[in-house]
Amino acid sequence: MIVPLNHILLVAAALFFMGLSCTLMRRNLVMILIGVEIMLNAAGLVLVAGSAFWQQLDGQLMVMLIMGVTAAEVAVALAMVVYLHSRTGSIDVNTFKDLQG
């Protein structure tokens, strides 16, 4: 492995915390989705790094599964955002407080 595993884990941790902070601090639905995507990509990076480190293909297969699930999640979530925007004219999270159960 050319890049040490520790360096990849540090980059993945930084990406995860950037995605987490984006998810927690932003009030825009699209930015929250982007934060979730960044966190999923950080998890995928760790899986690929572990897979390369241990010379196993399991991690890479899991990343492909995560990418498929992520694509479906983004499609559904963006459809919901477009619907909510057409209905209320806003994608601010505070606008949708009435949706609480």
Side-chain angles (χ1 to χ4, degrees):
M1 183 169 206
I2 296 173
V3 180
L5 182 63
N6 293 339
H7 294 172
I8 295 173
L9 293 178
L10 286 174
V11 169
L15 276 175
F16 186 84
F17 285 113
M18 284 191 287
L20 183 65
S21 65
C22 181
T23 301
L24 294 177
M25 291 181 184
R26 298 292 183 136
R27 308 308 306 165
N28 187 330
L29 287 175
V30 174
M31 294 305 291
I32 291 172
L33 282 174
I34 289 173
V36 170
E37 293 301 317
I38 291 172
M39 287 190 290
L40 286 172
N41 285 330
L45 181 63
V46 170
L47 287 172
V48 168
S51 173
F53 184 74
W54 284 295
Q55 302 289 321
Q56 299 286 326
L57 293 178
D58 299 343
Q60 294 178 9
L61 291 174
M62 282 300 294
V63 169
M64 292 182 73
L65 177 69
I66 287 173
M67 290 172 77
V69 170
T70 301
E73 174 249 332
V74 166
V76 170
L78 285 178
M80 290 174 65
V81 167
V82 169
Y83 174 73
L84 290 173
H85 184 266
S86 67
R87 210 177 144 113
T88 63
S90 173
I91 54 174
D92 186 39
V93 174
N94 292 329
T95 307
F96 307 110
K97 284 188 174 182
D98 296 338
L99 297 178
Q100 294 178 353

